[in-house]
Amino acid sequence: MLQLHYHPSDASLMPHIFLEELGVPFQLCLVDRAHNAQKSPEYLRLNPNGLIPVLQDGALVLYETPAILMHLADTHPQVHLLPALGTPERAQAYKWLTWLSNTLQATLVQYFYAERYVPAEGVADFRARTEARLAPMLDQLEAQLHSSGGPWLLGAHYSAADCMAFVLCCWTRNLQRPANSLPALGAYITHMRQRPAVQRAAATEQLQEAFFTRAA
Ligand SMILES: N[C@@H](CCC(=O)N[C@@H](CS)C(=O)NCC(=O)O)C(=O)O
């Protein structure tokens, strides 16, 4: 059976939602971050980066969220969670999955873990600069929803890119200008939350309302 190594609300939520969309049996294996289990020798054998998620599919051990999503889409083609191979639409999906991972997600990680990048006295400034870098990225997503015509990132076709975009948008909830303060992105988040797969994953991970919206 497919196994997903996860921690609630982390990047693993993206493949978790995707697995729920597939409607296939899978097993969740909690990585105990409170005890730094992602850096344990056993876990490092699965992912030498010590990062969550990891997917195990039989003998295949896979890390990197977009790779996991693309693999699951490829092995479950009947669910059509990526456009047809070789089409311009598929290429656009690759572009968004890559951009979400190496640009938006990577920058959000810098924001959340600022203390890993600069000395303590520079953290507030670094975080403010990182937040300023995030603003045009959210504008880019907002513009994409307008130009694709929505309701999903690629337009009429719900895809793996939505699992990523949605979770990353939720991660922005406490920025001064979070994703849900932008009109198309706000509607998009609401729409995503109505998907049964999102609701099942959120219930399993016991995500509270504060995951989706700014803390009061
Ligand atoms: N590029 C990786 C990044 C994964 C990642 O940053 N995971 C975070 C949780 S959101 C993590 O495991 N952090 C633990 C740590 O930094 O020790 C992916 O997309 O799979």
Side-chain angles (χ1 to χ4, degrees):
M1 191 192 296
L2 292 164
Q3 288 184 315
L4 180 69
H5 297 262
Y6 87 109
H7 181 269
S9 82
D10 283 7
S12 45
L13 178 57
M14 309 180 211
H16 185 183
I17 292 172
F18 195 91
L19 285 163
E20 288 287 358
E21 297 284 2
L22 292 180
V24 296
F26 65 92
Q27 186 187 352
L28 290 173
C29 309
L30 179 68
V31 183
D32 184 1
R33 285 193 67 173
H35 294 97
N36 231 18
Q38 75 276 18
K39 307 296 186 211
S40 67
E42 301 77 41
Y43 192 82
L44 290 173
R45 274 196 285 279
L46 300 174
N47 183 351
N49 302 294
L51 295 173
I52 306 159
V54 165
L55 180 80
Q56 289 187 271
D57 182 1
L60 175 70
V61 177
L62 196 60
Y63 53 84
E64 291 304 325
T65 300
I68 293 171
L69 296 176
M70 289 188 274
H71 169 70
L72 289 172
D74 287 347
T75 48
H76 300 82
Q78 70 283 3
V79 190
H80 300 294
L81 286 176
L82 278 179
L85 202 60
T87 60
E89 291 78 17
R90 178 83 161 213
Q92 293 294 343
Y94 289 153
K95 178 193 79 179
W96 282 112
L97 287 167
T98 307
W99 180 87
L100 287 163
S101 175
N102 73 9
T103 304
L104 181 55
Q105 184 178 342
T107 310
L108 279 164
V109 167
Q110 289 171 20
Y111 176 83
F112 289 123
Y113 299 109
E115 66 287 349
R116 292 184 184 174
Y117 297 90
V118 290
E121 62 275 16
V123 163
D125 179 61
F126 180 81
R127 197 163 271 143
R129 288 170 189 267
T130 308
E131 183 159 355
R133 287 166 50 220
L134 286 164
M137 297 177 198
L138 294 181
D139 289 337
Q140 196 174 333
L141 278 183
E142 174 82 4
Q144 168 62 15
L145 283 171
H146 283 290
S147 65
S148 77
W152 312 116
L153 194 63
L154 303 181
H157 189 109
Y158 178 79
S159 76
D162 292 300
C163 300
M164 288 199 76
F166 169 66
V167 172
L168 296 176
C169 282
C170 293
W171 286 3
T172 71
R173 63 191 174 272
N174 290 327
L175 299 184
Q176 284 180 22
R177 190 169 157 276
N180 65 10
S181 68
L182 303 178
L185 279 174
Y188 173 72
I189 292 168
T190 302
H191 212 49
M192 281 293 296
R193 290 188 65 185
Q194 289 162 357
R195 292 189 72 86
V198 172
Q199 292 174 2
R200 283 196 298 274
T204 304
E205 297 199 11
Q206 300 188 324
L207 302 180
Q208 307 297 314
E209 186 59 28
F211 175 76
F212 304 100
T213 48
R214 183 193 292 270

